């Protein structure tokens, strides 16, 4: 299974990536939303792990765009946001 990880916190990205690799997943990590979107457009992923607040295009915008163009790759948001409006 190939996973795209979008996370701009270097330490958190390393922790998540290491865990997923230990579980046998293939992982491609990105810090910037625009680069992640480019990778999604040119590659194939089984799962997207998207941080909400990243430089460039945020996780919400990426997933909204992907759904508009018919991309149905399963996605999970990673966020420290905890307000009711954020959720």
């Amino acid at each position: 299974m190939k996973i795209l990880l979008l996370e701009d916190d270097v330490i958190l990205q390393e922790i998540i990536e290491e865990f997923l690799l230990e579980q046998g997943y293939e992982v491609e990590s990105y810090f910037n939303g625009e680069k992640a979107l480019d990778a999604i457009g040119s590659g194939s992923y089984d799962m997207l792990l998207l941080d909400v607040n990243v430089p460039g295009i945020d996780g919400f915008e990426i997933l909204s765009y992907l759904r508009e163009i018919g991309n149905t790759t399963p996605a999970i948001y990673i966020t420290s946001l905890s307000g009711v409006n954020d959720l």
Side-chain angles (χ1 to χ4, degrees), residues 4 8 13 16 18 20 24 29 34 36 39-40 44 46 50 57 61 67 70-71 79 82 84 87:
L4 179 134
D8 66 334
Q13 185 190 72
I16 294 169
E18 183 178 319
L20 292 170
S29 298
E34 291 157 347
I40 294 166
S44 177
D46 299 298
L50 305 173
I57 304 169
E61 292 172 308
R67 296 305 187 245
N71 183 315
T79 183
S82 60
V84 172
L87 299 175

Side-chain angles (χ1 to χ4, degrees), residues 5 12-25 27 29:
L5 170 61
L12 183 55
Q13 185 190 72
E14 288 176 2
I15 291 169
I16 294 169
E17 183 174 0
E18 183 178 319
F19 174 79
L20 292 170
L21 290 170
E22 288 174 358
Q23 302 305 309
Y25 297 105
V27 180
S29 298

Side-chain angles (χ1 to χ4, degrees), residues 37 48 50 57-69 71-77:
L37 189 56
L48 308 173
L50 305 173
I57 304 169
D58 69 36
F60 289 135
E61 292 172 308
I62 289 174
L63 192 58
S64 177
Y65 170 74
L66 291 174
R67 296 305 187 245
E68 285 177 17
I69 64 168
N71 183 315
T72 60
T73 304
I76 296 173
Y77 284 124

Side-chain angles (χ1 to χ4, degrees), residues 4 11 16 22 30 33 38-40 42-43 49 66 70 72 78 85:
L4 179 134
I11 295 171
I16 294 169
E22 288 174 358
Y30 297 89
D38 287 344
I40 294 166
S42 63
L49 295 177
L66 291 174
T72 60
I78 303 169
N85 290 336

